[in-house]
Coordinates of all heavy atoms in Angstrom, one line a residue:
I531 N 3.6 -5.8 33.6 CA 2.3 -6.2 34.2 C 1.2 -5.7 33.4 O 1.1 -4.6 33.0 CB 2.3 -5.6 35.7 CG1 3.5 -6.0 36.5 CG2 1.0 -6.0 36.4 CD1 3.6 -5.3 37.8
V539 N -13.0 1.9 18.1 CA -13.6 1.8 16.8 C -12.5 2.1 15.8 O -11.7 3.0 15.9 CB -14.6 2.9 16.6 CG1 -15.2 2.9 15.2 CG2 -15.8 2.7 17.6
A542 N -10.3 3.9 8.8 CA -10.2 3.3 7.5 C -8.9 2.6 7.4 O -7.9 2.9 8.0 CB -10.3 4.4 6.4
L548 N 1.2 -7.1 1.5 CA 0.5 -8.3 1.9 C 1.4 -9.5 2.0 O 1.4 -10.3 2.9 CB -0.7 -8.6 1.1 CG -1.7 -7.4 0.9 CD1 -2.9 -7.8 0.1 CD2 -2.2 -7.0 2.3
G565 N -14.0 -10.4 16.7 CA -13.6 -10.9 18.0 C -12.1 -10.8 18.3 O -11.5 -11.6 18.9
T584 N -14.5 -17.4 3.9 CA -14.1 -18.7 3.4 C -13.2 -18.5 2.2 O -12.7 -19.5 1.6 CB -15.3 -19.5 3.0 OG1 -16.1 -18.8 2.0 CG2 -16.2 -19.8 4.2
T596 N -2.2 5.3 17.3 CA -3.3 6.0 17.8 C -4.6 5.3 17.3 O -4.4 4.3 16.5 CB -3.4 7.5 17.4 OG1 -3.6 7.6 16.0 CG2 -2.1 8.2 17.7
T598 N -6.5 6.2 15.1 CA -6.6 6.4 13.6 C -5.3 6.2 12.9 O -5.3 6.4 11.6 CB -7.2 7.8 13.3 OG1 -6.3 8.7 13.9 CG2 -8.6 7.9 13.9
R602 N 1.0 -1.8 9.1 CA 1.3 -3.3 9.1 C 2.5 -3.6 9.9 O 3.5 -2.9 9.9 CB 1.6 -3.7 7.6 CG 1.8 -5.1 7.4 CD 2.3 -5.4 6.0 NE 2.4 -6.8 5.7 CZ 3.4 -7.6 5.9 NH1 4.5 -7.1 6.6 NH2 3.4 -8.9 5.6
I642 N -10.2 -2.4 17.4 CA -8.8 -2.4 18.0 C -8.9 -3.1 19.4 O -9.7 -2.7 20.2 CB -8.2 -1.0 18.1 CG1 -8.1 -0.4 16.7 CG2 -6.9 -1.0 18.8 CD1 -7.7 1.1 16.7
S649 N 6.2 -0.6 33.0 CA 7.7 -0.8 32.8 C 8.4 -0.4 34.1 O 8.0 0.6 34.7 CB 8.2 0.0 31.6 OG 9.6 -0.1 31.5
T659 N 13.8 9.7 12.9 CA 13.9 9.4 11.4 C 14.0 10.7 10.6 O 13.6 11.7 11.1 CB 12.6 8.6 10.9 OG1 11.5 9.5 11.1 CG2 12.4 7.3 11.7
I685 N 23.3 -2.3 24.6 CA 24.2 -3.3 24.0 C 23.7 -3.9 22.7 O 24.4 -4.6 22.0 CB 24.5 -4.5 25.0 CG1 23.1 -5.2 25.4 CG2 25.2 -3.9 26.2 CD1 23.4 -6.4 26.3
S703 N 19.2 1.9 7.6 CA 18.4 2.4 6.5 C 17.5 1.3 5.9 O 18.0 0.2 5.9 CB 19.2 3.1 5.4 OG 19.8 4.3 5.9
L752 N -3.8 2.2 -31.0 CA -5.0 2.7 -31.8 C -5.2 1.9 -33.0 O -4.3 1.7 -33.8 CB -4.8 4.2 -32.1 CG -6.0 4.9 -32.9 CD1 -7.3 4.9 -32.1 CD2 -5.6 6.3 -33.2
A765 N -10.7 1.9 -32.1 CA -10.6 1.2 -30.8 C -9.2 1.3 -30.3 O -8.2 1.4 -31.1 CB -11.0 -0.3 -31.0
Q779 N -8.3 12.8 -32.9 CA -8.0 13.8 -33.9 C -8.0 13.0 -35.3 O -7.6 11.8 -35.3 CB -6.7 14.5 -33.7 CG -6.7 15.4 -32.5 CD -5.5 16.2 -32.4 OE1 -4.4 15.9 -32.9 NE2 -5.5 17.4 -31.7
A793 N -13.4 14.4 -31.4 CA -14.2 14.2 -30.2 C -13.3 14.1 -29.0 O -12.2 13.6 -29.1 CB -15.2 13.1 -30.3
D803 N -16.8 7.0 -36.1 CA -16.7 8.3 -36.8 C -17.5 8.3 -38.1 O -17.3 7.4 -38.9 CB -15.2 8.7 -37.0 CG -15.0 10.1 -37.5 OD1 -15.9 10.9 -37.2 OD2 -14.0 10.4 -38.0
T821 N -0.7 20.1 -18.1 CA 0.7 20.7 -18.2 C 1.4 20.1 -19.4 O 2.4 20.7 -19.9 CB 1.5 20.4 -17.0 OG1 1.6 19.0 -16.8 CG2 0.8 21.1 -15.8

Side-chain angles (χ1 to χ4, degrees):
I531 302 172
V539 177
L548 305 182
T584 59
T596 70
T598 57
R602 182 190 189 277
I642 295 173
S649 173
T659 64
I685 60 174
S703 291
L752 179 62
Q779 295 185 336
D803 192 20
T821 59

